[in-house]
Structures are given as C-alpha cells and as structure tokens.
C-alpha cells in the first residue's frame, strides 16, 4: 500500500490461495490497512493479489517478504525464502531489481537468493539487480509506519544501490544507504536483539526486586529521570510475535556457524523463555490457602496490545504452566476468538486469580476488583488499585 500511495502499480504474489481471494474481495488481512484503503487500490487497478507467479514478469521491482521462522530445532527455517526465490526466478525480466525484505542472517541475499535467481532466470535477463532492505514495520503502531520509518538499503553493487535507493526514496521519507546487503541484514538482527536483551535484563531485575520487596516499576521510573544513557524497558510475560523471539536466534545460529557463541543473546533468550514459568508461580502465590484446583483467568493472550496475533505469544507457555500446576484455566481476549482449541470466555468468568497478561483494548478489570478477585497485572496498568499485584 505504501508503494501504491507512491504511485506504483503493485501485484501481490502469494501462494496461499485463501489470502489472495480475501484480498481481492476487499477484506484486508493486515490490521494497519483498512478495507476501504484496500478497496480504493483494487478498484483503481493499482493493486491486485494473485497466486500466479508468471505475473512477476511484469515487475521492474520485486520485493521478497515471506516469513522467515524457526524450525523444530529453533534454527532458521529458510524454506519459504528458497521457494519464493525459486518461484520468481523463471519470470524475472531484464533490468529488474530484486530486494529481500525478509529478516534473516547476514549473507542470506548473497548465499541463497542470488544463486537461486541466477540459476533459474531466463537467459535474456542479463541484468538483474539485488539489494537487501529489511522490513521494519511495527504492527498497530499509530505513529511509525512504512512511510515515516527510515529504511536501510544495502546492495551488491553501485548499479543495484542506485535502483534500490530510488525505489525506497519513492515510498519512504528516508532511505538510509549502507555499504553492503550484509550490513542491512545485520542491523535488522541488532535492532531486535537489542530489544530482546533489554527486556531480559528488566525481567531478571524484576525477579530480583520482587525477592527484596522493591517495586521494580518505581525503580524504572526513578532511573528514567536520568536524561541520558538510560532507556526504560518494562517486565512482562515474555517476548512474543514473529520478530523479537525469533530474530535473535538467527543471530545466535549465525554466530555458531562461525564457531562463536553469542552468550549474552543466548542467556537473554533463556531468561525471557523462563518468564511464563515465573509468572505462573507468582499467580499461584495469590491463590487462597486450601484451594487445590484454582480457577485462573488469563486476560489478553495476543503477543502485544492492539493486535489479534498469537504467533509465539509467551501467554501460551503461561497457559501450559498453569495447567501443569493443576489449575483450571480460561482466557479472555476481545481481539482473539479461538486459541489453544478453546474460545474466549467473558471477562467476569468466576475465578480465584486473574492474570492480566496483555492489555488489550476493551478489557476492563473493574468488576473483578469489585468482587475482590486477586489480580496479577503483568502490564503495570493498574498499579494503585486494591487487590492488584504488579509483576
Ligand atoms: N509483520 C511484521 O511485523 C514484520 C516486521 C518486521 C519484519 N518482518 C519480517 O518480514 C517477513 C515477513 O513477515 P510477515 O509477518 O509479513 O509474514 P506473513 O506471515 O504475513 O506472511 C507473508 C505471506 O507470505 C506468503 N508466502 C509464504 N511463502 C511463500 C512463497 N514461497 N511464495 C509466495 N508467498 C509466500 C504467506 O502465504 C503469507 O501470506 C519476515 O521475515 C519477518 O521477520 C515482519
């Protein structure tokens, strides 16, 4: 849509037929794109979705933005990236720019995409240009979007960089030129690893403060009064979504490939992974003595407020720990209807303890407070209310 707004005609190629049909019917699958914005682009012929890869031959710019998840061993799974590169290659026209926007380890463009395309592209397509410009979108963010978030651009040669900068300068306010694709790829991993490490630091510090009876939020507020050299992060159930828990593991894998151990990153990932267990223990401390199978209500299960996305949500681990500890667990999320094979219950489901895991819009804990239900607030939203315990 950012490219459409900039005057480009855009084709979205996706091998998931249901999504193609949904988009072409004018129903947006992306929170930050409204149906009306999509419908205008469709009706003007500026955008369409298709599963026909041959349409790629019409493109002068191809951006690859397929998921880059982890496999069963929690290592990079580049199967979709490989299949996307394989899918477009036979249809790449001469003088086309190919950009990788997917998050991956430094070297992905050069090691995987370029050899695949060069092997399978039509013989007549002599000049193909390659760049990396990692996606930086923050879903649900009312301020930062595709247009006003600066975009890193790193290419394999000068000619590619000229084309890539021209494209991103047309759709973003600022394109930041870096010397190689590897710098852009590494910067993306650094950005998300920075968040993972700082969240782990505050999660660990929170547990330490709790054992000493110190309110960690007051400590964070106090430290934040320093005008330089400190940036506040808040504790929570853990890290979720398809970026913060995943991308740093691309970094640790890339490090190990070079016989290097990224110790601080590995430890941070472990601390965050243990947070759901810690939160479950804290919730059980709030159960009245003598209740052997407590009813525990989780409020908010998406990985962050304002989205319906439950991918990699740490609330899943929390749910499973509570069940393993013998609780009867229900959950409520105004934006999520089905999850872990069950449906969202009403937010006043009778319970022994409620855990506010994600502060979703529409959640209201006042009735639970009025009933005297103990609440563990992992979001620090209701710090001064009676019966509410912050992490
Ligand atoms: N969504 C974000 O908030 C965000 C932010 C920053 C970076 N990223 C990165 O962007 C990339 C894409 O993430 P996403 O969340 O947009 O993905 P997504 O899960 O929304 O998937 C994008 C689409 O790719 C399609 N797809 C998968 N394999 C394909 C193939 N071989 N050919 C054609 N289509 C295929 C899927 O059907 C899906 O519709 C990832 O590398 C992610 O790390 C995403």
């Amino acid at each position: 849509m950012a490219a459409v707004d900039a005057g480009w005609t855009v084709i979205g190629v996706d091998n998931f037929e249901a999504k193609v049909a949904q988009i072409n019917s004018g129903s947006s699958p992306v929170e930050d794109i409204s149906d009306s914005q999509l419908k205008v682009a469709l009706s003007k012929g500026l955008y369409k979705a298709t599963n026909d890869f041959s349409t790629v031959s019409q493109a002068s710019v191809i951006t690859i933005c397929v998921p880059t998840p982890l496999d069963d061993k929690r290592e990079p799974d580049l199967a979709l990236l490989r299949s996307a590169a394989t899918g477009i290659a036979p249809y790449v026209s001469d003088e086309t720019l190919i950009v990788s926007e997917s998050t991956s380890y430094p070297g992905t463009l050069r090691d995987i995409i370029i050899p695949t395309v060069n092997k399978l592209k039509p013989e007549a397509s002599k000049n193909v240009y390659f760049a990396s410009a990692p996606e930086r979108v923050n879903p649900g963010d009312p301020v930062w979007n595709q247009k006003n978030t600066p975009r890193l651009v790193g290419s394999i040669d000068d000619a590619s960089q000229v084309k890539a900068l021209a494209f991103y300068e047309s759709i973003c306010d600022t394109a930041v030129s870096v010397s190689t694709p590897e710098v852009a790829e590494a910067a993306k991993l650094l950005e998300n690893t920075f968040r993972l490490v700082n969240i782990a630091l505050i999660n660990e510090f929170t547990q330490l403060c709790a054992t000493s009876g110190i309110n960690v939020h007051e400590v964070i507020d106090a430290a934040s009064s320093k005008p330089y050299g400190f940036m506040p992060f808040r504790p929570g159930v853990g890290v979720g979504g398809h970026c913060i828990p995943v991308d740093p593991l691309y970094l640790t894998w890339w490090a190990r490939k070079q016989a290097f151990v990224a110790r601080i990153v590995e430890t941070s990932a472990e601390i965050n992974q243990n947070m759901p267990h810690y939160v479950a223990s804290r919730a059980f401390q709030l159960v009245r003595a003598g209740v052997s199978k407590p009813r525990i209500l989780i409020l908010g299960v998406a990985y962050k407020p304002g989205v319906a996305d439950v991918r990699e949500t740490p609330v899943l681990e929390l749910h499973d720990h509570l069940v393993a500890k013998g609780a009867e667990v229900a959950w409520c999320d105004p934006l999520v209807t089905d999850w872990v094979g069950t449906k969202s219950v009403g937010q006043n489901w009778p319970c022994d303890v409620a855990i506010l895991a994600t502060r979703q819009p529409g959640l209201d804990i006042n009735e639970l407070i009025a009933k005297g239900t103990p609440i563990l607030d992992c979001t620090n939203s209701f710090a001064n209310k009676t019966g509410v315990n912050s992490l």
Side-chain angles (χ1 to χ4, degrees):
M1 286 301 111
V4 166
D5 289 344
W8 293 84
T9 301
V10 181
I11 305 168
V13 182
D14 199 303
N15 57 7
F16 184 22
E17 281 186 34
K19 191 176 263 188
V20 169
Q22 181 188 351
I23 290 170
N24 287 336
S25 75
S27 162
S28 169
V30 176
E31 274 112 354
D32 297 325
I33 304 292
S34 68
D35 289 352
S36 53
Q37 186 186 359
L38 174 60
K39 280 177 183 153
V40 169
L42 289 167
S43 66
K44 287 186 174 167
L46 296 174
Y47 180 58
K48 72 169 179 193
T50 178
N51 59 7
D52 177 3
F53 274 77
S54 71
T55 53
V56 162
S57 63
Q58 300 167 39
S60 51
V61 179
I62 301 169
T63 66
I64 300 178
C65 39
V66 295
T68 41
L70 298 171
D71 64 16
D72 299 349
K73 291 187 274 169
R74 311 271 305 155
E75 291 186 349
D77 178 355
L78 296 177
L80 300 178
L81 198 70
R82 284 180 208 279
S83 89
T86 307
I88 61 167
Y91 305 106
V92 171
S93 301
D94 196 27
E95 295 295 325
T96 298
L97 167 69
I98 299 179
V99 188
S100 175
E101 294 200 356
S102 292
T103 305
S104 188
Y105 66 89
T108 301
L109 179 76
R110 243 185 261 267
D111 294 352
I112 294 176
I113 296 174
I114 295 177
T116 306
V117 171
N118 282 343
K119 191 172 152 203
L120 301 172
K121 70 181 163 82
E123 221 170 280
S125 300
K126 298 270 181 267
N127 298 316
V128 179
Y129 305 90
F130 293 95
S132 172
E135 176 61 69
R136 273 177 162 172
V137 74
N138 185 22
D141 191 322
V143 177
W144 296 107
N145 53 44
Q146 290 274 7
K147 186 159 185 337
N148 64 8
T149 304
R151 184 65 87 107
L152 299 179
V153 179
S155 304
I156 54 161
D157 52 33
D158 291 347
S160 299
Q161 188 71 344
V162 168
K163 278 187 178 281
L165 284 173
F167 175 64
Y168 285 100
E169 279 165 358
S170 79
I171 65 170
C172 304
D173 295 341
T174 314
V176 179
S177 178
V178 297
S179 60
T180 63
E182 288 75 18
V183 171
E185 290 164 331
K188 173 70 193 180
L189 294 190
L190 176 63
E191 291 162 20
N192 284 355
T193 303
F194 170 85
R195 289 190 60 75
L196 178 98
V197 169
N198 280 284
I199 292 167
L201 172 65
I202 215 66
N203 279 336
E204 183 178 71
F205 191 71
T206 296
Q207 296 176 50
L208 177 61
C209 284
T211 54
S212 315
I214 296 172
N215 181 331
V216 71
H217 295 283
E218 199 183 340
V219 178
I220 297 168
D221 291 343
S224 300
S225 67
K226 186 177 176 183
Y228 54 90
F230 183 80
M231 185 185 282
F233 283 80
R234 298 282 167 178
V237 181
V239 289
H242 36 80
C243 292
I244 309 296
V246 173
D247 303 350
L249 300 189
Y250 273 66
L251 191 155
T252 54
W253 177 86
W254 172 57
R256 272 184 271 121
K257 247 183 51 159
Q258 296 163 81
F260 186 94
V261 182
R263 281 186 296 157
I264 197 164
V265 188
E266 298 213 352
T267 305
S268 299
E270 193 186 318
I271 291 170
N272 290 329
Q273 275 157 18
N274 285 335
M275 275 311 277
H277 183 259
Y278 172 74
V279 172
S281 305
R282 287 280 302 267
F284 263 75
Q285 287 166 14
L286 299 175
V287 175
R288 268 181 302 118
V291 178
S292 58
K293 189 172 173 60
R295 287 163 64 90
I296 299 185
L297 174 63
I298 303 175
L299 298 166
V301 300
Y303 82 90
K304 72 173 189 174
V307 301
D309 196 340
V310 291
R311 284 183 289 181
E312 302 273 337
T313 175
V315 187
L316 177 60
E317 287 273 322
L318 170 62
H319 172 278
D320 292 350
H321 283 303
L322 294 168
V323 171
K325 279 166 137 345
E328 181 184 344
V329 184
W331 59 275
C332 170
D333 191 312
L335 300 183
V336 180
T337 38
D338 292 283
W339 182 64
V340 293
T342 52
K343 300 242 178 246
S344 180
V345 298
Q347 49 192 300
N348 295 314
W349 186 74
C351 59
D352 298 295
V353 173
I355 304 172
L356 181 56
T358 305
R359 192 178 180 187
Q360 287 288 39
L363 281 177
D364 177 7
I365 63 166
N366 285 319
E367 205 167 310
L368 288 166
I369 292 173
K371 281 196 290 190
T373 306
I375 296 168
L376 179 61
D377 178 5
C378 305
T379 69
N380 195 38
S381 307
F382 301 95
N384 298 317
K385 298 248 186 188
T386 315
V388 176
N389 302 266
S390 284
L391 263 190

